[in-house]
Amino acid sequence: MYVRQFDASGVPTYHACAAYRERSIEGVKNGKKFRQARVQKNVRALKAFWMDLDVKPGVATAFESQTAAVEALADFCSTTTLPLPLVVSSGNGIHVYWTLTNEIGPDQWKQTAEALKVLAAKLGFKADPACTADPARVLRSVGTFNRKEPTNPRAVELIADAPKSAY
């Protein structure tokens, strides 16, 4: 409900991919205290792994199209024997989620996410490495709009749900 309200008002809308210990914690920068919420040291648990597949035609570290990204993802899953994930069009690129039945702690999550990042790099799969192993990541929510281009908002849509056998 809130997500759609924020989105309808034009506010860029994201969801946190983790559960947090506290609503916010204290940070210090340049000797000044401030409150921060979605930071790695505040992550309590996670229930998915994710990747961000950028689509930027002509950029070597990104895909030429969403179709090319999804095809490469299918090849990556086949090669690695990873289950097919949930796939979302972020309006420009592709967000990928491998959901878990139970939540896991940040240390266990980080170890596995780092291994996933290394595997992607080893196989030449163009996933954004910063996103893959960032437990405090926020990503665009399905049902909202990507407003990077204010005159051309693009829908954030579910492309493919994960097969039930993947859970």
Side-chain angles (χ1 to χ4, degrees):
M1 180 170 117
Y2 290 111
V3 169
R4 292 206 173 150
Q5 287 175 348
F6 285 122
D7 184 64
S9 70
V11 174
T13 308
Y14 303 87
H15 65 269
C17 294
Y20 294 89
R21 290 184 184 92
E22 304 291 335
R23 186 173 188 87
S24 65
I25 60 174
E26 191 172 271
V28 178
K29 185 172 183 179
N30 298 328
K32 294 183 182 180
K33 293 181 182 180
F34 64 98
R35 301 298 297 176
Q36 52 188 7
R38 289 179 313 277
V39 292
Q40 291 185 17
K41 65 184 175 183
N42 193 25
V43 170
R44 179 186 59 77
L46 302 106
K47 209 170 170 182
F49 294 95
W50 51 81
M51 288 182 163
D52 181 14
L53 311 181
D54 292 327
V55 172
K56 297 177 183 173
V59 176
T61 57
F63 293 95
E64 290 293 313
S65 67
Q66 285 190 342
T67 300
V70 170
E71 289 171 355
L73 173 62
D75 290 344
F76 177 73
C77 290
S78 177
T79 299
T80 61
T81 68
L82 283 169
L84 292 173
L86 184 144
V87 181
V88 173
S89 165
S90 69
N92 287 324
I94 298 291
H95 293 166
V96 177
Y97 300 88
W98 286 276
T99 60
L100 305 172
T101 303
N102 298 303
E103 60 182 33
I104 59 175
D107 292 340
Q108 181 183 4
W109 183 91
K110 185 76 168 177
Q111 182 179 2
T112 305
E114 288 289 347
L116 182 61
K117 180 172 84 169
V118 167
L119 182 61
K122 180 179 176 184
L123 296 175
F125 183 58
K126 301 175 185 179
D128 178 344
C131 179
T132 302
D134 177 6
R137 182 61 53 161
V138 295
L139 294 170
R140 296 182 188 281
S141 299
V142 171
T144 64
F145 285 85
N146 179 327
R147 300 178 191 280
K148 276 187 179 176
E149 297 176 38
T151 59
N152 185 25
R154 297 180 181 172
V156 180
E157 301 173 307
L158 179 67
I159 293 175
D161 201 350
K164 295 300 177 206
S165 62
Y167 298 101

